[in-house]
PDB file of all heavy atoms in Angstrom:
ATOM      1  N   SER G 146       4.270  10.314  31.597  1.00 80.00           N
ATOM      2  CA  SER G 146       5.226   9.641  32.419  1.00 80.00           C
ATOM      3  C   SER G 146       5.943  10.676  33.294  1.00 80.00           C
ATOM      4  O   SER G 146       6.691  11.430  32.751  1.00 80.00           O
ATOM      5  CB  SER G 146       6.267   8.902  31.573  1.00 80.00           C
ATOM      6  OG  SER G 146       5.694   8.233  30.552  1.00 80.00           O
ATOM      7  N   PRO G 147       5.656  10.709  34.565  1.00 83.00           N
ATOM      8  CA  PRO G 147       6.296  11.736  35.415  1.00 83.00           C
ATOM      9  C   PRO G 147       7.821  11.570  35.328  1.00 83.00           C
ATOM     10  O   PRO G 147       8.395  10.584  35.152  1.00 83.00           O
ATOM     11  CB  PRO G 147       5.862  11.352  36.784  1.00 83.00           C
ATOM     12  CG  PRO G 147       4.816  10.344  36.670  1.00 83.00           C
ATOM     13  CD  PRO G 147       4.834   9.743  35.328  1.00 83.00           C
ATOM     14  N   ARG G 148       8.511  12.818  35.413  1.00 84.00           N
ATOM     15  CA  ARG G 148      10.002  12.862  35.271  1.00 84.00           C
ATOM     16  C   ARG G 148      10.665  11.852  36.236  1.00 84.00           C
ATOM     17  O   ARG G 148      11.617  11.214  35.842  1.00 84.00           O
ATOM     18  CB  ARG G 148      10.430  14.321  35.565  1.00 84.00           C
ATOM     19  CG  ARG G 148      11.859  14.517  35.374  1.00 84.00           C
ATOM     20  CD  ARG G 148      12.203  16.007  35.730  1.00 84.00           C
ATOM     21  NE  ARG G 148      11.901  16.887  34.621  1.00 84.00           N
ATOM     22  CZ  ARG G 148      12.679  17.167  33.590  1.00 84.00           C
ATOM     23  NH1 ARG G 148      13.881  16.576  33.490  1.00 84.00           N
ATOM     24  NH2 ARG G 148      12.314  18.018  32.631  1.00 84.00           N
ATOM     25  N   THR G 149      10.117  11.728  37.470  1.00 86.00           N
ATOM     26  CA  THR G 149      10.829  10.836  38.436  1.00 86.00           C
ATOM     27  C   THR G 149      10.745   9.433  37.973  1.00 86.00           C
ATOM     28  O   THR G 149      11.706   8.687  38.149  1.00 86.00           O
ATOM     29  CB  THR G 149      10.137  10.980  39.830  1.00 86.00           C
ATOM     30  OG1 THR G 149       8.691  10.929  39.636  1.00 86.00           O
ATOM     31  CG2 THR G 149      10.429  12.197  40.504  1.00 86.00           C
ATOM     32  N   ALA G 150       9.659   9.051  37.335  1.00 86.00           N
ATOM     33  CA  ALA G 150       9.533   7.672  36.874  1.00 86.00           C
ATOM     34  C   ALA G 150      10.547   7.379  35.731  1.00 86.00           C
ATOM     35  O   ALA G 150      11.112   6.379  35.590  1.00 86.00           O
ATOM     36  CB  ALA G 150       8.097   7.407  36.426  1.00 86.00           C
ATOM     37  N   ILE G 151      10.627   8.412  34.814  1.00 86.00           N
ATOM     38  CA  ILE G 151      11.529   8.311  33.697  1.00 86.00           C
ATOM     39  C   ILE G 151      13.037   8.192  34.163  1.00 86.00           C
ATOM     40  O   ILE G 151      13.716   7.324  33.799  1.00 86.00           O
ATOM     41  CB  ILE G 151      11.429   9.501  32.739  1.00 86.00           C
ATOM     42  CG1 ILE G 151       9.964   9.591  32.186  1.00 86.00           C
ATOM     43  CG2 ILE G 151      12.402   9.416  31.609  1.00 86.00           C
ATOM     44  CD1 ILE G 151       9.700  10.912  31.495  1.00 86.00           C
ATOM     45  N   GLU G 152      13.292   9.037  35.124  1.00 82.00           N
ATOM     46  CA  GLU G 152      14.686   9.142  35.612  1.00 82.00           C
ATOM     47  C   GLU G 152      15.041   7.941  36.531  1.00 82.00           C
ATOM     48  O   GLU G 152      16.192   7.730  36.819  1.00 82.00           O
ATOM     49  CB  GLU G 152      14.996  10.490  36.146  1.00 82.00           C
ATOM     50  CG  GLU G 152      14.991  11.580  35.141  1.00 82.00           C
ATOM     51  CD  GLU G 152      15.256  12.967  35.697  1.00 82.00           C
ATOM     52  OE1 GLU G 152      15.046  13.193  36.802  1.00 82.00           O
ATOM     53  OE2 GLU G 152      15.549  13.820  34.818  1.00 82.00           O
ATOM     54  N   SER G 153      14.044   7.241  36.888  1.00 86.00           N
ATOM     55  CA  SER G 153      14.364   6.057  37.764  1.00 86.00           C
ATOM     56  C   SER G 153      14.766   4.898  36.847  1.00 86.00           C
ATOM     57  O   SER G 153      15.316   3.892  37.327  1.00 86.00           O
ATOM     58  CB  SER G 153      13.186   5.672  38.698  1.00 86.00           C
ATOM     59  OG  SER G 153      12.147   5.179  37.839  1.00 86.00           O
ATOM     60  N   GLU G 154      14.514   4.972  35.547  1.00 88.00           N
ATOM     61  CA  GLU G 154      15.000   3.974  34.627  1.00 88.00           C
ATOM     62  C   GLU G 154      16.336   4.316  34.174  1.00 88.00           C
ATOM     63  O   GLU G 154      16.660   5.481  33.896  1.00 88.00           O
ATOM     64  CB  GLU G 154      14.101   3.997  33.389  1.00 88.00           C
ATOM     65  CG  GLU G 154      12.815   3.162  33.569  1.00 88.00           C
ATOM     66  CD  GLU G 154      12.147   3.125  32.206  1.00 88.00           C
ATOM     67  OE1 GLU G 154      12.742   2.682  31.220  1.00 88.00           O
ATOM     68  OE2 GLU G 154      10.960   3.549  32.102  1.00 88.00           O
ATOM     69  N   LEU G 155      17.193   3.272  33.966  1.00 93.00           N
ATOM     70  CA  LEU G 155      18.534   3.544  33.503  1.00 93.00           C
ATOM     71  C   LEU G 155      18.649   3.568  31.984  1.00 93.00           C
ATOM     72  O   LEU G 155      18.015   2.692  31.269  1.00 93.00           O
ATOM     73  CB  LEU G 155      19.516   2.554  34.100  1.00 93.00           C
ATOM     74  CG  LEU G 155      19.498   2.579  35.659  1.00 93.00           C
ATOM     75  CD1 LEU G 155      20.583   1.547  36.187  1.00 93.00           C
ATOM     76  CD2 LEU G 155      19.780   3.939  36.188  1.00 93.00           C
ATOM     77  N   CYS G 156      19.456   4.440  31.462  1.00 93.00           N
ATOM     78  CA  CYS G 156      19.678   4.462  29.991  1.00 93.00           C
ATOM     79  C   CYS G 156      20.495   3.309  29.631  1.00 93.00           C
ATOM     80  O   CYS G 156      21.494   3.017  30.202  1.00 93.00           O
ATOM     81  CB  CYS G 156      20.377   5.741  29.647  1.00 93.00           C
ATOM     82  SG  CYS G 156      21.002   5.805  28.029  1.00 93.00           S
ATOM     83  N   PRO G 157      20.021   2.544  28.572  1.00 92.00           N
ATOM     84  CA  PRO G 157      20.783   1.360  28.167  1.00 92.00           C
ATOM     85  C   PRO G 157      22.180   1.702  27.584  1.00 92.00           C
ATOM     86  O   PRO G 157      23.044   0.850  27.579  1.00 92.00           O
ATOM     87  CB  PRO G 157      19.845   0.755  27.094  1.00 92.00           C
ATOM     88  CG  PRO G 157      18.954   1.837  26.678  1.00 92.00           C
ATOM     89  CD  PRO G 157      18.832   2.785  27.758  1.00 92.00           C
TER      90      PRO G 157
END
Side-chain angles (χ1 to χ4, degrees):
S146 313
R148 186 180 279 274
T149 46
I151 298 168
E152 288 176 345
S153 69
E154 275 188 55
L155 299 183
C156 168

